[in-house]
């Protein structure tokens, strides 16, 4: 099973992912940005706005997630913004072809709260990268609402968000036979 945490930068995906793995036995975080970093060494001369624009990134995310789950079982928690609908469709389709259940959550926060979080982030305050993607996130919200469970994190702590997601994942896990039982 994959629990994909989508949303814009500053919504709480990484912190929530860490909290979520403490609530779901047999779960691990798969940071798909590492796939992008790997590709930069090979495709760095191919100029793109985001490593997700490289088609191999999308295919390798699916392949790596499939291989990881086949190897260790359990659940993968993937905290990764995907703001281009076509890219999400490619990833989701690939995971469905591999018979991997995907639970897609979008962590949302109101714009003022996102700006506050981005401005006060202790590791990268006022990140230009994050600020530049707020409009992309707003454009993606219509398909996010159709294809994911949206959780408003504006007033919630990451632990509270993780508990909501864990409860929904547990309901789904007990409702279907899971190809990937926890180790």
């Amino acid at each position: 099973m994959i629990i994909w945490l989508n949303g814009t930068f500053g919504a709480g995906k990484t912190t929530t992912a860490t909290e979520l793995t403490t609530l779901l036995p047999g779960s691990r975080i798969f940071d798909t940005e590492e796939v992008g970093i790997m590709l930069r060494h090979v495709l760095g001369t191919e100029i793109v706005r985001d490593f997700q624009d490289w088609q191999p990134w999308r295919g390798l995310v699916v392949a790596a997630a499939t291989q990881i789950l086949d190897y260790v079982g359990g659940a993968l928690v993937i905290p990764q913004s995907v703001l281009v609908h076509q890219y999400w469709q490619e990833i989701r389709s690939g995971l469905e072809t591999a018979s991997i259940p995907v639970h897609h959550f979008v962590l949302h926060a109101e714009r003022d709260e996102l700006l506050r979080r981005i401005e006060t982030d202790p590791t990268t305050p006022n990140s230009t990268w994050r600020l530049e993607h707020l409009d992309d996130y707003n454009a993606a919200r219509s398909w996010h609402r159709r294809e994911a469970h949206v959780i408003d994190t504006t007033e919630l702590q990451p632990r509270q968000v993780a508990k909501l997601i864990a409860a929904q994942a547990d309901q789904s896990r007990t409702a279907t036979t899971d190809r990937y039982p926890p180790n």
Side-chain angles (χ1 to χ4, degrees):
M1 167 175 67
I2 289 178
I3 299 173
W4 196 291
L5 303 180
N6 204 339
T8 194
F9 307 95
K13 296 180 304 296
T14 301
T15 308
T16 299
T18 301
E19 292 285 347
L20 190 55
T21 59
T22 68
L23 299 172
L24 296 175
S27 66
R28 303 162 188 265
I29 295 174
F30 174 32
D31 184 354
T32 60
E33 289 202 19
E34 296 296 329
V35 176
I37 292 167
M38 176 190 72
L39 287 173
R40 279 196 180 112
H41 294 287
V42 180
L43 301 176
T45 58
E46 304 293 320
I47 305 301
V48 293
R49 180 173 179 234
D50 187 304
F51 59 74
Q52 291 182 16
D53 296 333
W54 290 320
Q55 188 282 327
W57 177 82
R58 301 182 301 275
L60 287 170
V61 164
V62 170
T66 303
Q67 291 289 318
I68 292 166
L69 287 172
D70 282 343
Y71 186 67
V72 296
L76 288 182
V77 178
I78 301 178
Q80 180 66 56
S81 296
V82 179
L83 304 178
V84 177
H85 191 220
Q86 174 190 338
Y87 298 172
W88 175 251
Q89 289 175 317
E90 289 176 36
I91 293 166
R92 181 167 200 123
S93 175
L95 294 169
E96 286 173 353
T97 298
S99 299
I100 299 172
V102 178
H103 303 283
H104 185 201
F105 294 89
V106 172
L107 305 188
H108 170 77
E110 294 300 325
R111 189 175 183 92
D112 288 345
E113 177 62 12
L114 288 170
L115 289 171
R116 186 194 69 73
R117 291 177 188 179
I118 292 169
E119 290 168 359
T120 61
D121 185 293
T123 56
T124 53
N126 292 309
S127 166
T128 303
W129 170 261
R130 290 177 174 189
L131 292 168
E132 288 175 352
H133 283 79
L134 288 177
D135 289 337
D136 295 337
Y137 170 67
N138 282 331
R141 288 187 67 200
S142 63
W143 70 264
H144 280 169
R145 280 191 296 272
R146 287 191 316 269
E147 299 188 26
H149 180 80
V150 179
I151 299 174
D152 190 336
T153 67
T154 304
E155 300 292 329
L156 297 175
Q157 294 298 312
R159 182 75 174 181
Q160 294 170 298
V161 177
K163 285 181 178 180
L164 290 171
I165 293 168
Q168 289 193 13
D170 280 342
Q171 287 175 353
S172 296
R173 198 182 321 201
T174 57
T176 61
T177 303
D178 191 10
R179 173 180 167 191
Y180 303 101
N183 286 348

